[in-house]
Amino acid sequence: MGLFGRIQKSGTAQTVLDLISKLYKLEKQAREQKLDPEAVHAMRQERVRPIMDKIKALLDARVKTTPPKSLLGRAISYALGQWERVMVYLEDGCLQPDNNAAENAIRPFAVGRKNRLFSGSPRGAKASAAIYSLIEIAKACGLNPFEYLLQVFEQLPHARSGDDLKTLLPQGMSKNNPA
């Protein structure tokens, strides 16, 4: 316990965060149990929808009493404006409650974009972008990016035609001779 005792977290934002935390715990349990999409859908209807209904009721109540230009007021207005889009994930067990997978997939590009500022020339930046693209496509095709690039760099000098080059693309490697 700190100098001033235990700090109690309360208020609208904390209440919503606590409810969202419950949602993520349920999603984690579903992943750990390896539930199929139909079972995830059923779980969401039974256990997630009531939590979402609590969040919506809280936001509807607070939007009336929170100054709209305050940070909390803007957050509440934004959440309510997106509510229909958020609720779509309850209707399909294959959907995720967030876009974390997409964010993680594009993270290398965001880092790469910053790195390309130091590529030295437009030609260097173009080469970096090509390598990043190959790496991400290789990952998407289930290839080990390092092994894939090693194989490409070994075979590239022997490519004589456009068809030879096509076989070096990640899609060609994954079908013909996986790295």
Side-chain angles (χ1 to χ4, degrees):
M1 204 158 7
L3 181 62
F4 299 105
R6 184 162 188 256
I7 297 174
Q8 290 292 322
K9 294 181 178 180
S10 61
T12 303
Q14 188 60 49
T15 302
V16 171
L17 287 174
D18 291 343
L19 290 168
I20 290 170
S21 177
K22 289 180 183 180
L23 297 175
Y24 275 91
K25 285 178 185 170
L26 292 170
E27 293 294 326
K28 182 179 180 184
Q29 289 172 359
R31 279 192 312 277
E32 288 172 348
Q33 295 172 10
K34 296 181 177 25
L35 298 181
D36 63 33
E38 291 80 22
V40 170
H41 177 262
M43 179 276 297
R44 287 178 180 165
Q45 296 308 308
E46 179 184 333
R47 300 185 66 196
V48 172
R49 186 171 294 279
I51 296 170
M52 294 298 288
D53 291 343
K54 283 182 188 178
I55 294 171
K56 177 76 161 67
L58 178 64
L59 295 176
D60 284 338
R62 296 296 193 268
V63 75
K64 297 172 188 168
T65 60
T66 305
K69 295 196 184 232
S70 69
L71 289 176
L72 181 60
R74 292 188 347 229
I76 291 171
S77 293
Y78 179 80
L80 290 172
Q82 300 298 315
W83 196 255
E84 285 184 37
R85 289 181 180 104
V86 170
M87 293 299 286
V88 168
Y89 103 95
L90 295 181
E91 303 307 322
D92 186 338
C94 293
L95 298 177
Q96 297 300 309
D98 55 41
N99 68 345
N100 288 344
E103 292 284 342
N104 289 335
I106 65 171
R107 185 167 288 115
F109 292 106
V111 171
R113 183 180 62 235
K114 291 178 183 174
N115 290 340
R116 284 188 289 281
L117 292 172
F118 304 100
S119 293
S121 69
R123 188 173 174 201
K126 193 173 182 179
S128 294
I131 293 293
Y132 284 124
S133 294
L134 284 175
I135 289 169
E136 291 305 313
I137 295 169
K139 287 181 194 175
C141 290
L143 301 174
N144 176 310
F146 176 79
E147 291 175 10
Y148 164 71
L149 288 175
L150 186 64
Q151 196 167 1
V152 166
F153 293 139
E154 287 173 352
Q155 295 178 14
L156 189 59
H158 307 291
R160 299 287 180 244
S161 68
D163 287 338
D164 290 345
L165 292 174
K166 282 183 183 178
T167 63
L168 296 178
L169 292 173
Q171 304 89 315
M173 289 281 192
S174 63
K175 292 176 189 162
N176 298 331
N177 60 358

